[in-house]
């Protein structure tokens, strides 16, 4: 009963998971600590551990309309911990990697697209200067870099011009 309640239905979603990635959802800051306490009990029972440096608390203040920096400070003031360790807090406009996709709680798509473009450019430059053979580089380009960008299409609404820009980077690297 600590999950995120949608305004448009009676649905309450408390978590999402895939492989070793987990997201805990709530629309009340007071519900975060009870959720983390349940998670701690489960991981202890299952013999698992969380990597706290890879974790983050973040969100977007829908009702309060607090400025992002104020909201981040507000979350930090709640001293939310996991096994007596402070959980890092991200600004709602800070990018966070979840399931391999760079996401931002405020859903500022242009920033997310810029992050993807910059990452692709960096990876292409690294590939061009790598000691791999031309055949290996081509395989990496098509199976890793191109697929990495395509994978993010499920989470970020790319426009046709943005897709064309990303495609031009890949073509130029080829």
């Amino acid at each position: 009963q600590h999950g995120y309640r949608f305004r448009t239905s009676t649905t309450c979603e408390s978590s999402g998971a895939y492989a070793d990635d987990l997201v805990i959802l709530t629309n009340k800051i007071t519900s975060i600590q009870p959720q983390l306490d349940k998670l701690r009990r489960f991981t202890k029972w299952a013999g698992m551990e969380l990597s706290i440096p890879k974790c983050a608390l973040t969100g977007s203040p829908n009702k309060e309309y607090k400025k992002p920096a104020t909201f981040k400070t507000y979350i930090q003031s709640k001293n939310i911990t996991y096994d007596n360790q402070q959980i890092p807090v991200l600004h709602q406009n800070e990018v966070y990697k979840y399931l391999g996709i760079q996401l931002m709680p405020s859903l500022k798509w242009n920033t997310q697209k810029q992050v993807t473009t910059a990452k692709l450019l960096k990876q292409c430059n690294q590939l061009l200067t790598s000691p791999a053979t031309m055949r290996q580089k081509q395989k990496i380009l098509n199976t890793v870099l191109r697929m990495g960008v395509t994978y993010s299409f499920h989470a970020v609404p790319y426009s046709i011009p943005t897709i064309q820009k990303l495609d031009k980077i890949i073509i130029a690297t080829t």
Side-chain angles (χ1 to χ4, degrees), residues 45-149:
W45 171 83
M48 301 167 65
E49 291 183 25
L50 283 186
S51 176
I52 298 301
K54 291 175 68 178
C55 297
L57 290 172
T58 189
S60 291
N62 292 348
K63 293 180 183 174
E64 293 111 22
Y65 298 106
K66 292 179 179 173
K67 292 184 178 180
T70 306
F71 189 64
K72 179 179 177 176
T73 303
Y74 175 68
I75 295 173
Q76 287 170 325
S77 74
K78 298 300 177 186
N79 295 318
I80 298 167
T81 61
Y82 176 87
D83 210 18
N84 296 318
Q85 297 177 67
Q86 194 79 25
I87 306 283
V89 178
L90 295 178
H91 189 286
Q92 71 188 40
N93 295 326
E94 286 181 80
V95 177
Y96 184 73
K97 187 175 180 181
Y98 180 66
L99 296 176
I101 299 172
Q102 305 292 332
L103 296 174
M104 186 180 302
S106 62
L107 304 178
K108 294 198 176 210
W109 304 119
N110 287 335
T111 303
Q112 290 181 241
K113 292 173 192 174
Q114 290 168 359
V115 167
T116 301
T117 303
K119 180 181 174 185
L120 179 62
L121 281 167
K122 181 181 176 185
Q123 290 173 327
C124 286
N125 288 330
Q126 289 173 329
L127 182 62
L128 289 172
T129 60
S130 79
T133 66
M134 289 302 269
R135 180 178 221 141
Q136 290 169 328
K137 289 179 182 182
Q138 191 66 42
K139 188 164 185 115
I140 291 167
L141 186 66
N142 287 319
T143 60
V144 178
L145 303 187
R146 184 183 303 270
M147 291 301 108
V149 169

